[in-house]
Amino acid sequence: MTLQRSGDPLFLFDLDGVITVEESLVAIDRALGLNGELAADTRAACLSARPGHDYAADLVGRLMRLAPFPVSLISDIIAGLGLHAEIVGFIASESNRCVIVSSNLECFCRPLATKIGCKAFFSSCAIASGHICGPVRVIDKRAVVDRYKALGHTVVMIGDGANDAPAMRVAHHSIAAAYAPCPSPHAIAAAGKTVTSPAQLIGELSLFRART
């Protein structure tokens, strides 16, 4: 997919809780009957208020709990997640300006990203016999922002989690999605703007679009 020419605004979206209505690992916990432990740990990691919390190591631990389950089963659950229609519509109309940047695994999320219809970056891992296995390589969202800035793009980062905050701080513009199920105070503190609904987010993004 060809991105818009450099200099034009480029919109980088977190996936879970920003485009999807629910955090994917929370939905997976429920669908697989994991007794709420994975969901609770995911909500805590999204907020990540603990001093010295290592988000990447925490994420790897949570993802590897899914190793006993087939990748195809997990990807089907994620592909069936509810989506914010306004945001998906915006991405469809501006697919050459939109990029998904998610810490979740590509093998789990690629079918959903294909349905949404824009370029996407994810964490990655090896797969053996249809199941994930280590090592997991967690995406550096800040590095993705820096890459597009170096190419001359004006980067707008939209996120809700503590792991989005480093990327939000270095983007030209950043927006915290406070409508997400568990928005992090770190993301809100890093953002230039905070929105409380998908409709408000689209209004903000449309202002950037109108400048070009």
Side-chain angles (χ1 to χ4, degrees):
M1 185 172 295
T2 302
L3 292 174
Q4 196 80 342
R5 65 186 184 276
S6 64
D8 283 350
L10 188 67
F11 305 109
L12 271 56
F13 294 85
D14 180 35
L15 179 63
D16 285 60
V18 174
I19 301 175
T20 65
V21 174
E22 188 174 14
E23 289 284 335
S24 60
L25 293 183
V26 173
I28 290 165
D29 183 305
R30 183 178 62 252
L32 298 180
L34 299 180
N35 301 317
E37 293 181 5
L38 180 59
D41 289 347
T42 296
R43 293 187 184 101
C46 289
L47 297 171
S48 190
R50 290 168 288 167
H53 177 249
D54 186 338
Y55 179 86
D58 181 288
L59 175 64
V60 171
R62 285 182 287 127
L63 289 172
M64 290 310 298
R65 292 190 217 174
L66 301 177
F69 302 95
V71 167
S72 59
L73 173 60
I74 304 299
S75 63
D76 284 348
I77 294 170
I78 292 178
L81 289 175
L83 304 174
H84 290 295
E86 309 99 313
I87 299 173
V88 173
F90 178 88
I91 292 173
S93 68
E94 298 286 347
S95 59
N96 61 342
R97 296 189 187 194
C98 296
V99 179
I100 292 169
V101 186
S102 170
S103 297
N104 209 330
L105 290 174
E106 179 165 16
C107 60
F108 290 165
C109 297
R110 179 55 62 185
L112 178 59
T114 299
K115 180 167 73 172
I116 294 169
C118 68
K119 189 176 181 66
F121 294 94
F122 298 101
S123 299
S124 62
C125 71
I127 299 174
S129 301
H131 295 252
I132 63 170
C133 57
V136 175
R137 292 170 291 277
V138 177
I139 190 171
D140 183 343
K141 295 188 179 187
R142 175 173 177 165
V144 176
V145 171
D146 286 339
R147 169 183 170 181
Y148 282 121
K149 286 172 65 178
L151 291 172
H153 292 284
T154 299
V155 178
V156 183
M157 177 72 196
I158 305 103
D160 70 309
N163 63 314
D164 296 316
M168 294 169 75
R169 282 193 288 266
V170 299
H172 293 104
H173 307 278
S174 55
I175 302 173
Y179 60 81
C182 48
S184 168
H186 299 284
I188 292 170
K193 282 188 174 290
T194 298
V195 296
T196 57
S197 70
Q200 188 181 2
L201 174 59
I202 297 308
E204 293 293 335
L205 299 183
S206 296
L207 293 177
F208 288 106
R209 180 170 58 183
R211 296 172 190 169
T212 59

